Amino acid sequence: MAYRVAAFYQFAALPDFRELREPLRAQCAALGLKGSVLLAHEGINGTLAGTDDGIAGLVEAIRGSLFGSRLEHLELKYSTADAMPFQRLKVRLKKEIVTLGAAGVDPARQVGTYVEGARWNELISDPETLVLDTRNAFEVAMGTFEGAVDPGIKSFGEFKQFTAQQLDPARHRRIAMFCTGGIRCEKASAYLLARGFAEVFHLKGGILRYLEAVPESESRWRGECFVFDERVTLGHGLRERQK
């Protein structure tokens, strides 16, 4: 049996996120879904797997009545798995849906310029563009874009230190960043803009959207993309690696 996998997030004000945990968990359980969802005051971030109908039902609920239409602009990507890629269902409350630890950074208010996959190759081919991989070092080692800078971080929270030590608004006038699904780049771009960097771009939908939309013959991606489930990595066309 093939399973449908939905990776999703949205930065949006959810001051009642604690009260939303149980209704969301109950909805997921009723639809037979497994995976992980994070809720925080700044939004939602999750990856869930189940049947086509189960995933479709949850997406409709998240975008509609469950959150009072506050998550209508959910960033959403689909892939498939030959076997259920999660062991159980987890809905957790967090301080941040992606942890940077930088007070006052709000991607719902200020964020970098989104770049679709069709325009990404042109942007990163420009020698004036600093191409920055915002993922952790072990993820970068499995695959990345040609010419991308690896910040060498063990966790996303270290991105602040990397910025302070290695990036300069006066020298790095144009930065193009990317991550797995787009969420880390949203927060990283907001952080850089708040610190005076002039042009900050990020790959809309992340590597996963790029691998889905851009033909392998035209791709600047090299290697595989690490995903946080039992599939481990995905390749072009979001194909599972051969075990």
Side-chain angles (χ1 to χ4, degrees):
M1 174 182 177
Y3 291 87
R4 192 166 179 80
V5 183
F8 55 91
Y9 74 88
Q10 185 180 333
F11 286 98
L14 298 177
D16 54 343
F17 72 98
R18 293 179 179 84
E19 290 73 33
L20 293 165
R21 179 186 186 182
E22 182 51 31
L24 177 60
R25 189 209 63 77
Q27 183 81 63
C28 292
L31 293 169
L33 306 180
K34 293 183 180 180
S36 178
V37 183
L38 305 180
L39 288 173
H41 66 89
E42 66 179 4
I44 189 171
N45 177 23
T47 305
L48 292 168
T51 64
D52 289 350
D53 288 345
I55 291 294
L58 182 70
V59 170
E60 182 178 1
I62 290 177
R63 284 177 166 164
S65 59
L66 196 58
F67 288 86
S69 300
R70 288 174 289 177
L71 299 180
E72 291 178 311
H73 303 294
L74 201 67
E75 174 64 39
L76 182 64
K77 288 167 289 296
Y78 295 113
S79 57
T80 59
D82 294 333
M84 171 54 75
F86 300 103
Q87 295 295 323
R88 57 197 177 106
L89 171 66
K90 297 182 289 185
V91 180
R92 296 183 290 172
L93 303 179
K94 303 284 285 186
K95 290 183 178 180
E96 301 177 71
I97 55 174
V98 57
T99 303
L100 181 60
V105 174
D106 182 6
R109 181 169 47 85
Q110 181 185 44
V111 75
T113 302
Y114 298 103
V115 180
E116 298 286 353
R119 291 189 52 243
W120 181 250
N121 288 357
E122 179 183 356
L123 177 64
I124 67 175
S125 297
D126 189 328
E128 297 299 315
T129 302
L130 175 69
V131 185
L132 181 59
D133 194 330
T134 64
R135 300 172 303 150
N136 301 341
F138 79 91
E139 298 174 78
V140 178
M142 292 184 180
T144 191
F145 283 103
E146 292 178 359
V149 172
D150 174 10
I153 58 179
K154 294 180 180 178
S155 68
F156 185 56
E158 295 179 4
F159 183 78
K160 294 180 298 181
Q161 182 178 356
F162 167 78
T163 298
Q165 295 177 346
Q166 303 293 332
L167 300 183
D168 181 356
R171 289 191 300 117
H172 303 116
R173 299 293 300 169
R174 184 192 303 137
I175 296 176
M177 58 178 62
F178 62 92
C179 56
T180 307
I183 187 170
R184 281 178 278 190
C185 289
E186 293 225 18
K187 186 163 278 191
S189 70
Y191 181 75
L192 292 185
L193 288 171
R195 275 145 190 80
F197 289 84
E199 294 183 73
V200 182
F201 299 87
H202 50 109
L203 180 59
K204 185 171 176 56
I207 300 162
L208 295 180
R209 180 69 55 78
Y210 181 92
L211 293 178
E212 179 183 31
V214 176
E216 188 169 358
S217 60
E218 301 174 12
S219 176
R220 296 287 300 275
W221 175 261
R222 298 294 179 264
E224 294 184 314
C225 179
F226 179 83
V227 290
F228 293 86
D229 59 58
E230 293 185 5
R231 294 173 296 174
V232 185
T233 64
L234 297 176
H236 285 89
L238 301 186
R239 296 187 297 269
E240 292 185 62
R241 71 172 183 174
Q242 297 298 311
K243 296 181 175 61

